[in-house]
């Protein structure tokens, strides 16, 4: 049961730069287990580009995906800092505090902050 969901990484973001991100809820059809994941990349011009890539991958694993909102991530691996801010026009603002908690699981030695600033 739980192995497929365990195989899904909590966080997949670019190692450097400022880019769009989305918070996605994965759920087994009909309820049951669910978890939230963070995905972000400079390759995405719009937030929905990220979702359009994640959704089919997760559907193959048997999950329903729901985008909980988006924003931007500023990632400096040199300084070990991540800043979460902004919002998605299409999906609305993700709960950045939730995003930060997920990021902390992956980037344990980072300083991770968030704000509602647009820039």
């Amino acid at each position: 049961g739980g192995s497929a969901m365990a195989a899904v990484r909590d966080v997949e973001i670019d190692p450097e730069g400022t880019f769009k991100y989305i918070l996605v809820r994965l759920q087994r059809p009909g309820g049951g287990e669910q978890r939230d994941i963070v995905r972000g990349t400079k390759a995405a011009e719009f937030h929905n580009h990220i979702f359009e890539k994640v959704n089919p991958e997760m559907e193959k694993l048997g999950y329903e995906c729901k985008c909980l909102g988006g924003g931007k991530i500023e990632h400096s691996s040199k300084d070990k800092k991540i800043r979460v801010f902004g919002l998605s026009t299409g999906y609305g603002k993700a709960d950045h505090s939730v995003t930060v908690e997920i990021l902390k699981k992956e980037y344990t030695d980072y300083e991770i902050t968030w704000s509602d600033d647009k820039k």
Side-chain angles (χ1 to χ4, degrees):
S3 57
M5 195 169 258
V8 177
R9 291 172 56 189
D10 287 323
V11 179
E12 282 180 18
I13 59 171
D14 287 1
E16 199 64 47
T18 302
F19 45 84
K20 292 182 167 66
Y21 94 88
I22 57 172
L23 186 60
V24 178
R25 173 154 294 164
L26 305 184
Q27 188 150 11
R28 287 286 186 210
E33 54 177 338
Q34 62 173 42
R35 65 185 267 217
D36 298 343
I37 60 170
V38 174
R39 293 292 183 268
T41 177
K42 273 190 284 224
E45 192 184 344
F46 300 106
H47 286 91
N48 61 303
H49 292 170
I50 308 173
F51 189 73
E52 282 160 15
K53 187 175 174 294
V54 173
N55 198 32
E57 290 173 8
M58 297 305 150
E59 282 183 341
K60 276 190 205 125
L61 296 171
Y63 296 107
E64 291 172 347
C65 286
K66 182 177 163 214
C67 185
L68 301 179
K72 285 187 172 175
I73 286 176
E74 185 179 61
H75 188 178
S76 171
S77 48
K78 178 170 57 80
D79 300 331
K80 294 197 180 227
K81 281 186 180 172
I82 294 176
R83 185 168 74 98
V84 184
F85 64 102
L87 52 82
S88 160
T89 315
Y91 295 122
K93 186 177 80 70
D95 185 338
H96 297 327
S97 63
V98 171
T99 302
V100 166
E101 289 311 307
I102 298 169
L103 289 169
K104 281 179 177 170
K105 289 196 253 180
E106 184 86 13
Y107 297 95
T108 49
D109 55 346
Y110 267 59
E111 182 192 322
I112 306 175
T113 57
W114 69 270
S115 76
D116 289 329
D117 298 345
K118 299 286 188 290
K119 294 186 178 353

